[in-house]
Amino acid sequence: MFQEVSTRANFPEMEKDVRRFWKERDIFARSVKQREGRPFFVFYEGPPTANGLPGIHHVLARAMKDLFPRYKTMRGFYSERKGGWDTHGLPVEIEVEKQLKLNGKQDIERYGVEAFNKLCRQSVFEYIDEWAEMTEQMGFWVDLEHAYRTYDSSYMESVWWVLKQLWDKQLLYEGFKVVPYCPRDMTPLSSHELGLPGGYKDDVEDPSVYVKFELEDEPNTYFLAWTTTPWTLPGNVALAVGLDIPYVRVRQGDDHYILARARLSILQGDYQVEGDVEAKSLLGKRYKPLYEYLVPDKPAFFVVDADFVSTEDGTGIVHTAAAYGVDDLDLSLRKGIPVRHVVDLQGRFRPEVEPFAGLFVKKADPKIIEDLTQRGLMYRAETIRHTYPFCWRCGSPLLYYAVTSWFVKTTAVKDQLIRNNNAINWVPPYIKTGRMGNWLESLVDWSLSRWRYWGTPLPVWKCEKCDDRRCIGSVGELGLTLEADLHRPYIDRVTLRCEKCEGVMRRVPDLIDVWFDSGAMPMAQYHYPFENQEVFKARFPADFIAEGLDQTRGWFFSLLAESTMLFDESSYKNVICHNLVLDKQGRKMSKSLKNTVDPFEIMSKFGADATRWYFYAAVAVGNEYRFDPSAVQDVVRRFLLILWNTYAFFANYARLDGFEPGGAAVIGDVESSLDAYDPTTAARRLEAFVVDLSTWYVRRSRRRFWKSESDADKRSAYQTLYEVMVVLSQLLAPFMPFISETIYRGLAAGRNGQPESVHLTDWPAALPESTKGELREEMSRVRRIVAGGLAARNAAGIKVRQPLREVVIGGPRLHPELENILLEELNIKAARYAGEAGELTLDTEISDELKLEGLARDLVRKIQELRKQSGFAVEDRIRLFYEGDGLLAEALERWRDYIATETLATAVARGQAPDGASTETLKIEGHDLKVSVLRVAAN
């Protein structure tokens, strides 16, 4: 017997009941275990950091991650879903710095690295309870009991093994390069980190200056060069010109300027062109340095040629500061120009640069402009708004700064990376050749070093005596075990004997990029290759991963790069790359804008199913989400309540009639969409089906359920709706695990040997193509005609409850049963066929008899509302009383039997109702009628 289902659904409370059931019956573990021995569906969890509270965007990411393993499990695959935690790096360090009120590396070292790292270790799981709560509340099934942690010695040893493989392949090296550098955190960053949220900021105001470099042998003759970083001018070592660029010499007053002809527009005031200048004639020309502090002891301050010079902006002559630009350093090294650092590692001018000593470079900009202006060397100074890089964690402006650090030679495997990337199924597909493809085409070597404290130490030891280097690939090589803490400062105390000179080898101080940590997770989560070799091989590569767009050059890249360098293949086959969650105005969510959204509040108010469904169905993957709580509320209104009411309708009538069940195209549509990793199309197809089920099949079949006799037609209606609802609960299970579980348990669990949870069932098999395709097409035609007829009624201002005499339909005659359906839907007495297919004409003349019938239908609707307001159950029988005369009374008397049948009235009488009846004066089209309803006691 089915249980009674309330139509007043409380989805958050229902979800709590489901979570209790899952926990008590161990449904997640059982759903995995029962597929053991079946083909693998491997999912890799991109590890979050639990030292910050989860946000609404984490619900999006985890909804995507949960959907496909659930689906594939129901399809019979074995999907373990091992969780993971990212525990290293600047995010952790910065939070601890804030707690301790420290400011920078000097404060940390005064506090003590050992004590600082101890607090980092403790803090990484500060909000793990909140993360676990969100994971459980939203129904994300992931194995957190056996989750990997990047700070575990076993994990770190596998990372060391990866680095040793790269070392052996000569892909790990120390070099001197210009890299993005954070002066606040005093560490280099990798170029791919600039693509993370906060890595670039738009509309940043900076200086835009045109500077005069006076020729050594031609007084009052100047090269004009442009820069947006005046702080690099004290570090100038050369000027660069393009050999294919035409230059000119111009005169303004007593001064002469050399610049590209195409850039004459930057000059202010009148000028005279004195003649053309060939680029080759400028090569080697010397000019006076702007500043004579820290002057190199090798030749500098002369003109060279470079292929990166253009006339798109500036003057066609490029100011070159070797230590502060990627192209600048490359050019200087090729041309033998010395490199000089005038700025220290904190981004402050060195003491030797006296006018600006100790100033942070950005604060020095206006002082440099002022100094050059006073000395007559500033041609023009203004401001510009452009995009500028910032530290993605601490928010400080980054510098491009030449450092000696360690790099991974990703450029050596560029072709393989591009090939392997092309083999990945990217969703959306344009990421493959767009954001990721473009990134790989312009690839630079991976800046691996981090000059910090809490992270995986670079396992390279250097001899103090002969400078020989050795890369370590296991803790055993150091005489350690996995019980040892491999972090700083403990690892820094481990020394080795140099095999070349017997000298002492000490570890280089660098840590590695945390993205290298996370990119090693396919191996490191299983402590490969030190154990679990077969376990790893069976679970590599992943079938599926998912993260946000910002991870294209973060985790997605690190996974691809490391697996390509190790195994020459990608570590994942399919990837969903979703976009950002913005507020409803399209702004990024931030505390300063007060537009952040608490995921717990949303799920507690509307339910996790509705929240998940919003992210599946709102926009196609790859588009931005403009999140508004009202959009989740709309999911409840337009979808969940329709679904629930359909379920309640079936369950309640089946309970009343004692129905017991015996032994579609939508299955195939959903299946094909999910197989293509397209959740949006699948979700929208399901939503449309549910709406159709409720507003077409159930609405049209109500009389089949309402009739008192239990004939074959009624049993068929029940059986059909039963089977549809059970299959629907299975199709919805990966998307909305809670409501699907509730519906399934209410309808099918335990019946005829069926499993107790929808998540323990197999995915429903798509039915073979029906032989009734012609009938389905004819029904589709009926629905198109109905839609056209309703539009025609609306245009004529005639409501559907008002019957009409005739409709003229173009095209072939419908089957009589289908014609009857059409006439019922349009509330029209007869159909006539004439004209071309698609044409439709209504006879809008309304006779007195038709008018009374229309009023009778309005009376039914009003009486049904009164029943509902009175708290009557759907099956309750009533006695109906009315008082009054006029058109409404006439309509009621004329259509007494029809009204009694529709409202379940056992008797209809004129006169005052007895005590206890519910009474209301009905108003319809300017007419009044007093009506009362009284529940009839059950026998």
Side-chain angles (χ1 to χ4, degrees):
M1 179 67 71
F2 297 100
Q3 298 298 310
E4 184 175 3
V5 176
S6 172
T7 55
R8 298 182 181 274
N10 184 330
F11 296 118
E13 287 300 315
M14 176 205 73
E15 291 173 0
K16 288 180 184 177
D17 292 338
V18 172
R19 290 199 297 271
R20 281 192 290 270
F21 166 70
W22 286 345
K23 188 173 292 186
E24 290 167 1
R25 304 298 297 162
D26 201 19
I27 300 297
F28 172 35
R30 289 168 58 195
S31 74
V32 174
K33 187 168 181 57
Q34 73 178 24
R35 270 81 179 187
E36 200 167 1
R38 303 293 299 277
F40 280 94
F41 179 77
V42 180
F43 161 70
Y44 288 164
E45 160 72 323
T49 303
N51 74 325
L53 288 169
I56 193 67
H57 59 291
H58 293 113
V59 176
L60 162 61
R62 299 194 144 207
M64 293 298 176
K65 293 176 184 183
D66 191 53
L67 170 61
F68 293 95
R70 282 183 180 273
Y71 166 65
K72 289 294 186 178
T73 297
M74 293 182 73
R75 293 292 303 275
F77 289 86
Y78 181 57
S79 185
E80 293 167 311
R81 288 165 266 184
K82 186 181 180 73
W85 297 105
D86 187 3
T87 58
H88 280 154
L90 272 175
V92 181
E93 288 193 37
I94 289 172
E95 286 302 311
V96 173
E97 281 188 69
K98 290 177 182 176
Q99 292 170 19
L100 297 175
K101 296 183 170 54
L102 304 181
N103 186 23
K105 292 177 71 173
Q106 295 89 342
D107 284 358
I108 293 173
E109 294 189 1
R110 279 193 291 268
Y111 182 80
V113 173
E114 184 173 1
F116 180 79
N117 273 358
K118 184 178 180 181
L119 289 174
C120 287
R121 179 184 286 273
Q122 293 171 359
S123 77
V124 292
F125 293 127
E126 181 176 354
Y127 296 105
I128 193 169
D129 289 343
E130 286 81 358
W131 278 89
E133 181 185 348
M134 183 195 73
T135 299
E136 181 179 351
Q137 187 170 348
M138 68 169 290
F140 175 33
W141 277 359
V142 63
D143 182 4
L144 294 179
E145 184 179 347
H146 303 100
Y148 65 87
R149 302 177 299 185
T150 59
Y151 71 21
D152 285 339
S153 293
S154 59
Y155 191 99
M156 294 168 68
E157 184 179 33
S158 290
V159 175
W160 281 4
W161 175 83
V162 174
L163 290 165
K164 181 61 162 58
Q165 304 311 299
L166 303 189
W167 175 275
D168 291 344
K169 295 180 179 185
Q170 298 184 329
L171 296 174
L172 177 62
Y173 69 96
E174 187 178 38
F176 181 66
K177 296 190 177 192
V178 170
V179 296
Y181 179 84
C182 178
R184 187 268 175 204
D185 298 324
M186 295 178 65
T187 185
L189 302 176
S190 57
S191 56
H192 57 254
E193 287 178 280
L194 303 185
L196 298 170
Y200 277 109
K201 293 183 181 178
D202 297 326
D203 204 32
V204 176
E205 186 176 278
D206 264 330
S208 171
V209 298
Y210 296 83
V211 183
K212 298 158 66 173
F213 293 82
E214 187 173 17
L215 275 68
E216 222 175 47
D217 56 356
E218 295 183 51
N220 298 326
T221 299
Y222 304 91
F223 293 113
L224 283 183
W226 172 71
T227 183
T228 60
T229 53
W231 66 267
T232 62
L233 291 169
N236 172 269
V237 288
L239 295 173
V241 296
L243 292 180
D244 59 347
I245 296 174
Y247 291 89
V248 293
R249 181 187 179 105
V250 302
R251 177 174 180 171
Q252 279 190 317
D254 295 332
D255 292 335
H256 307 267
Y257 301 111
I258 297 171
L259 72 162
R261 176 178 287 279
R263 300 303 299 165
L264 286 171
S265 60
I266 66 100
L267 297 175
Q268 293 180 315
D270 296 333
Y271 61 86
Q272 296 81 43
V273 177
E274 296 182 309
D276 293 326
V277 180
E278 281 195 29
K280 284 185 178 180
S281 70
L282 299 175
L283 300 183
K285 281 191 174 291
R286 301 186 61 79
Y287 60 90
K288 296 178 182 179
L290 298 179
Y291 294 97
E292 298 190 7
Y293 307 105
L294 298 168
V295 173
D297 55 5
K298 294 181 180 179
F301 312 118
F302 57 90
V303 177
V304 296
D305 64 287
D307 56 9
F308 58 77
V309 181
S310 77
T311 57
E312 291 183 9
D313 48 29
T315 67
I317 300 175
V318 175
H319 141 63
T320 301
Y324 310 117
V326 175
D327 290 334
D328 305 51
L329 179 61
D330 180 60
L331 175 66
S332 298
L333 294 176
R334 283 191 290 107
K335 299 291 185 180
I337 301 168
V339 179
R340 61 169 177 162
H341 259 310
V342 295
V343 173
D344 67 18
L345 292 173
Q346 291 180 278
R348 299 171 182 170
F349 278 99
R350 292 171 58 178
E352 296 89 339
V353 189
E354 294 173 0
F356 319 116
L359 277 179
F360 182 63
V361 292
K362 288 293 185 180
K363 291 185 177 179
D365 277 345
K367 293 187 178 297
I368 292 170
I369 294 170
E370 180 184 0
D371 176 68
L372 293 175
T373 301
Q374 290 174 355
R375 292 163 52 200
L377 297 176
M378 182 61 65
Y379 179 80
R380 175 177 165 190
E382 51 204 21
T383 58
I384 188 174
R385 289 193 171 274
H386 63 163
T387 301
Y388 192 86
F390 286 77
C391 179
W392 65 285
R393 280 307 184 187
C394 75
S396 299
L398 296 179
L399 312 180
Y400 279 91
Y401 195 92
V403 297
T404 298
S405 64
W406 291 83
F407 297 85
V408 176
K409 198 172 186 178
T410 45
T411 52
V413 293
K414 175 180 174 180
D415 291 344
Q416 295 96 308
L417 284 167
I418 292 172
R419 182 195 68 219
N420 291 339
N421 176 59
N422 288 336
I424 297 168
N425 174 38
W426 282 90
V427 180
Y430 56 78
I431 300 293
K432 176 188 295 188
T433 55
R435 186 177 175 88
M436 179 59 101
N438 293 338
W439 165 253
L440 295 177
E441 289 291 347
S442 58
L443 192 66
V444 297
D445 285 348
W446 187 343
S447 176
L448 187 68
S449 293
R450 296 296 179 271
W451 298 342
R452 296 294 301 189
Y453 308 100
W454 179 244
T456 299
L458 181 66
V460 174
W461 270 252
K462 183 190 296 186
C463 179
E464 293 178 334
K465 187 176 179 181
C466 71
D467 203 45
D468 189 40
R469 285 92 184 283
R470 178 180 171 188
C471 183
I472 298 301
S474 68
V475 296
E477 295 174 62
L478 300 176
L480 301 175
T481 69
L482 292 179
E483 300 302 313
D485 189 337
L486 304 183
H487 294 90
R488 299 186 68 189
Y490 313 109
I491 197 66
D492 298 336
R493 299 167 187 165
V494 177
T495 60
L496 298 174
R497 182 177 59 83
C498 179
E499 296 176 353
K500 283 192 174 181
C501 72
E502 302 293 323
V504 176
M505 302 187 86
R506 299 188 185 277
R507 196 188 70 82
V508 298
D510 307 54
L511 304 180
I512 67 167
D513 183 359
V514 291
W515 296 104
F516 198 93
D517 269 2
S518 59
M521 61 76 59
M523 295 72 68
Q525 67 177 332
Y526 298 115
H527 194 212
Y528 178 86
F530 305 100
E531 55 182 320
N532 298 316
Q533 288 93 341
E534 295 307 314
V535 170
F536 164 71
K537 289 174 184 176
R539 293 158 178 81
F540 180 89
D543 293 291
F544 168 65
I545 62 173
E547 289 292 344
L549 184 65
D550 53 294
Q551 294 299 332
T552 309
R553 298 170 185 176
W555 189 50
F556 297 157
F557 171 73
S558 65
L559 282 172
L560 176 64
E562 292 180 47
S563 64
T564 295
M565 290 185 286
L566 288 174
F567 310 117
D568 195 24
E569 65 175 305
S570 172
S571 53
Y572 51 96
K573 299 176 184 177
N574 301 280
V575 53
I576 281 187
C577 187
H578 60 76
N579 213 319
L580 299 176
V581 181
L582 309 175
D583 72 5
K584 61 182 178 182
Q585 280 85 35
R587 302 173 301 173
K588 290 182 179 180
M589 292 187 179
S590 69
K591 291 179 181 177
S592 61
L593 290 175
K594 297 181 179 179
N595 64 348
T596 56
V597 176
D598 180 355
F600 297 102
E601 182 180 331
I602 295 296
M603 291 190 289
S604 296
K605 187 173 184 180
F606 304 114
D609 279 338
T611 309
R612 289 169 61 122
W613 192 263
Y614 165 79
F615 285 121
Y616 296 137
V619 297
V621 172
N623 293 313
E624 293 175 339
Y625 297 83
R626 296 202 170 190
F627 188 85
D628 183 3
S630 65
V632 182
Q633 185 177 28
D634 188 54
V635 170
V636 175
R637 179 192 58 78
R638 76 164 194 267
F639 181 39
L640 262 72
L641 286 176
I642 292 175
L643 173 64
W644 184 262
N645 288 336
T646 304
Y647 163 57
F649 174 86
F650 169 83
N652 291 336
Y653 276 100
R655 180 181 63 84
L656 290 172
D657 282 331
F659 169 74
E660 285 293 334
V666 69
I667 300 175
D669 291 347
V670 173
E671 198 172 288
S672 61
S673 295
L674 291 183
D675 285 344
Y677 293 89
D678 179 4
T680 308
T681 300
R684 290 175 177 175
R685 178 69 177 89
L686 278 169
E687 186 170 327
F689 176 78
V690 168
V691 172
D692 268 359
L693 177 67
S694 171
T695 60
W696 186 260
Y697 178 79
V698 172
R699 180 177 57 80
R700 287 217 41 84
S701 301
R702 285 183 187 276
R703 287 186 181 85
R704 300 171 70 190
F705 294 100
W706 285 347
K707 59 186 177 182
S708 56
E709 67 274 16
S710 184
D711 57 10
D713 178 64
K714 186 173 186 177
R715 290 194 299 273
S716 175
Y718 272 126
Q719 188 67 35
T720 300
L721 187 53
Y722 172 80
E723 292 181 10
V724 167
M725 291 304 299
V726 172
V727 169
L728 187 58
S729 73
Q730 293 173 298
L731 297 180
L732 287 170
F735 298 87
M736 298 196 299
F738 297 101
I739 193 171
S740 61
E741 184 76 284
T742 302
I743 293 172
Y744 175 85
R745 290 182 66 207
L747 297 180
R751 293 180 186 273
N752 301 317
Q754 295 187 81
E756 64 177 316
S757 167
V758 70
H759 303 292
L760 299 177
T761 68
D762 290 330
W763 186 257
L767 299 176
E769 190 62 30
S770 172
T771 56
K772 298 183 179 180
E774 185 178 334
L775 177 61
R776 287 206 307 271
E777 179 52 42
E778 279 292 277
M779 181 61 82
S780 296
R781 181 186 170 212
V782 168
R783 297 189 66 176
R784 289 193 298 271
I785 296 171
V786 168
L790 294 176
R793 272 184 171 276
N794 188 56
I798 302 173
K799 59 192 176 186
V800 179
R801 284 185 300 277
Q802 174 58 61
L804 296 178
R805 187 178 67 84
E806 184 182 68
V807 58
V808 180
I809 302 169
R813 179 178 294 277
L814 290 166
H815 185 281
E817 287 187 26
L818 296 179
E819 182 182 288
N820 286 339
I821 291 173
L822 178 134
L823 294 176
E824 285 181 15
E825 286 294 308
L826 290 179
N827 195 12
I828 296 176
K829 299 297 182 182
R832 183 161 55 88
Y833 295 87
E836 298 294 324
E839 293 181 354
L840 182 145
T841 306
L842 300 181
D843 181 347
T844 58
E845 183 178 343
I846 301 172
S847 65
D848 291 343
E849 185 63 22
L850 289 174
K851 181 67 175 177
L852 288 175
E853 186 178 350
L855 290 174
R857 289 174 178 264
D858 280 329
L859 282 168
V860 167
R861 179 175 65 88
K862 293 283 190 179
I863 295 166
Q864 298 287 35
E865 289 175 359
L866 182 57
R867 280 179 57 104
K868 190 173 182 179
Q869 292 166 11
S870 304
F872 295 172
V874 292
E875 69 273 18
D876 284 344
R877 304 288 168 170
I878 64 168
R879 291 167 61 196
L880 177 65
F881 301 89
Y882 67 99
E883 299 176 60
D885 296 304
L887 212 54
L888 289 182
E890 185 180 348
L892 193 152
E893 290 162 359
R894 172 69 180 81
W895 291 92
R896 175 187 296 263
D897 292 344
Y898 162 75
I899 292 172
T901 300
E902 293 294 315
T903 62
L904 300 185
T906 59
V908 179
R910 181 193 288 269
Q912 188 173 351
D915 292 342
S918 297
T919 303
E920 184 178 338
T921 299
L922 307 182
K923 298 181 181 299
I924 302 173
E925 296 185 7
H927 307 285
D928 295 349
L929 186 68
K930 188 176 181 181
V931 170
S932 302
V933 294
L934 182 67
R935 182 171 13 214
V936 175
N939 292 332

